[in-house]
Amino acid sequence: MIPTEPIGSIPRPPELVAAIRGGAGPDALAPLLDAAVRATIAAFEASGSPVISDGEQGKLDNFWCYPVHGCANTAPDGFHIPLPVGAGGRQHRMPRLTHGPFGYARHADGFLRAAQRHATRPLKQAVISPSALSLMYPPEGLPGYPREQFLEDLVREHETEIRRCLEAGAHKVQVDFAEGPLAMRLDPSGALLASFVHLNNMALGRFSDAERALIGLHVSPAGVGGGDVDYADLLPTLFEIRAGSFYIAMAGQPDPERVLRIARDYARPGQRVFVGVTDPRDARVESAQQVRDRVLLASRYLEPGRLGTTDDAGFAPFFDDDSLSRATAFAKVRARVEGTRLAAALLQGAA
């Protein structure tokens, strides 16, 4: 009655983290990556999750830059991603495009196909938004490769990636719109955010209504550069993006009912809203009863036919630190699944 899905990232196993930090090569990493995916899938399935993911185990750099990691026409001194310094004092920068044409080095269906070897449940796949990757293009431009051509190539690659994931059998493709809070921070007028929305809609406009029903959009409340941005202020613009599902944070918000009112008022007909019922920024594990009560609160604003549950964000999106363990992440997943089931039973009984 109420679907529940993860957002994406799960902390990687310590042995894989150690190998990555130690600079292990592809041959040494391959068996560790396969083992991490297999273990993550097994833990997701053991939690009772009806929809699972690979926990983004294979996105070795981060969830933002994986399509262009290692591209020959990039330099490492691109846009500075304003995040806390990562493990080992690491700063986060995007690659800078040095010349055209733009193209992906890899598409996310490769991660999906690797996970399918181990999974028996439906798999969703997260991909990065074209607006995030648009920040690769240098402000001064590139000789012989105008920004307009870059954006056309970028949108084509994003469309190709989503189609490849759908053709591979993805239950849902989730577009990560992490740069939403950053846009508001850089330009409080909202013009930059509007341009990002337009670019994402250029890509989504290439899909049919039936295909867009299988495409969702997520923006984290702790999004890039979003420390002093009111998350709820993003939501009205967020719902202008032509996706079929939206994954929004609620559990960690100071005023959850404000978030729910905005979702009720701005979500368009046919858009399903997955509300966050666990908070990855809080190491305390929610009880199933807490989750149940959050779902019941959400049902006062969103009818069950338009409601789903999720986590507020991924559990390890950018770098491998040990602030949250795999065990804690999966305990929160189990609470989400069980609490959603309890709430659905109550709502079904009331209906």
Side-chain angles (χ1 to χ4, degrees):
M1 184 179 182
I2 299 177
T4 188
E5 298 178 11
I7 287 299
S9 58
I10 294 289
R12 285 187 271 253
E15 57 272 20
L16 176 56
V17 173
I20 295 169
R21 291 180 182 171
D27 291 343
L29 284 176
L32 294 174
L33 280 170
D34 185 68
V37 171
R38 184 170 61 250
T40 302
I41 294 293
F44 259 124
E45 295 195 345
S47 74
S49 299
V51 176
I52 64 175
S53 80
D54 71 346
E56 300 189 353
Q57 303 296 286
K59 293 179 179 176
L60 299 183
D61 188 33
N62 57 58
F63 77 96
W64 186 312
C65 301
Y66 70 88
V68 294
H69 183 65
C71 282
N73 59 340
T74 62
D77 59 345
F79 177 78
H80 174 247
I81 303 174
L83 279 171
V85 174
R90 180 184 175 194
Q91 298 282 341
H92 299 285
R93 283 193 175 274
M94 293 189 69
R96 173 176 56 86
L97 193 67
T98 57
H99 60 86
F102 173 82
Y104 282 12
R106 72 180 305 170
H107 295 85
D109 65 298
F111 303 122
L112 176 65
R113 294 179 192 277
Q116 286 172 329
R117 295 200 297 265
H118 306 295
T120 63
R121 303 275 176 87
L123 280 158
K124 71 181 292 188
Q125 181 59 52
V127 303
I128 192 60
S129 68
S131 50
L133 292 177
S134 71
L135 296 169
M136 289 181 63
Y137 192 84
E140 65 273 16
L142 291 172
Y145 192 56
R147 181 175 176 81
E148 292 74 15
Q149 183 59 55
F150 162 72
L151 293 177
E152 175 60 30
D153 292 343
L154 171 58
V155 167
R156 183 197 64 246
E157 286 286 72
H158 179 69
E159 176 194 4
T160 298
E161 179 170 57
I162 291 179
R163 290 197 183 281
R164 287 174 60 155
C165 290
L166 292 176
E167 289 165 4
H171 170 80
K172 189 82 66 69
V173 177
Q174 173 189 297
V175 178
D176 288 324
F177 187 50
E179 68 283 10
L182 172 64
M184 289 293 289
R185 183 179 180 184
L186 294 176
D187 178 12
S189 76
L192 180 59
L193 179 62
S195 72
F196 282 170
V197 168
H198 174 70
L199 182 57
N200 290 315
N201 278 337
M202 284 175 59
L204 291 171
R206 300 184 176 195
F207 294 91
S208 68
D209 289 344
E211 290 167 333
R212 283 194 292 270
L214 301 176
I215 302 172
L217 188 125
H218 171 250
V219 58
S220 169
V224 174
D228 55 357
V229 171
D230 187 338
Y231 173 71
D233 287 343
L234 291 170
L235 296 182
T237 303
L238 182 73
F239 285 112
E240 295 177 12
I241 296 177
R242 298 176 65 187
S245 296
F246 289 82
Y247 303 86
I248 66 173
M250 181 185 73
Q253 287 296 291
D255 187 353
E257 293 197 59
R258 178 170 174 240
V259 171
L260 291 167
R261 283 194 297 270
I262 292 171
R264 177 197 63 195
D265 295 342
Y266 287 91
R268 299 183 181 188
Q271 292 178 335
R272 185 181 287 272
V273 180
F274 287 76
V275 299
V277 292
T278 63
D279 182 4
R281 296 179 296 175
D282 187 346
R284 294 172 295 181
V285 177
E286 293 84 355
S287 69
Q289 290 72 29
Q290 277 182 292
V291 171
R292 175 201 63 198
D293 292 345
R294 287 170 178 169
V295 180
L296 294 177
L297 174 65
S299 72
R300 291 165 45 191
Y301 294 87
L302 297 162
E303 59 191 44
R306 299 186 64 193
L307 177 62
T309 67
T310 188
D311 311 299
D312 272 6
F315 291 98
F318 254 91
F319 48 82
D320 293 303
D321 64 25
D322 55 5
S323 61
L324 194 75
S325 68
R326 281 173 67 87
T328 298
F330 282 115
K332 285 175 171 283
V333 169
R334 288 192 295 273
R336 168 170 54 79
V337 172
E338 177 61 15
T340 301
R341 187 192 66 80
L342 291 174
L346 289 173
L347 291 170
Q348 192 166 19

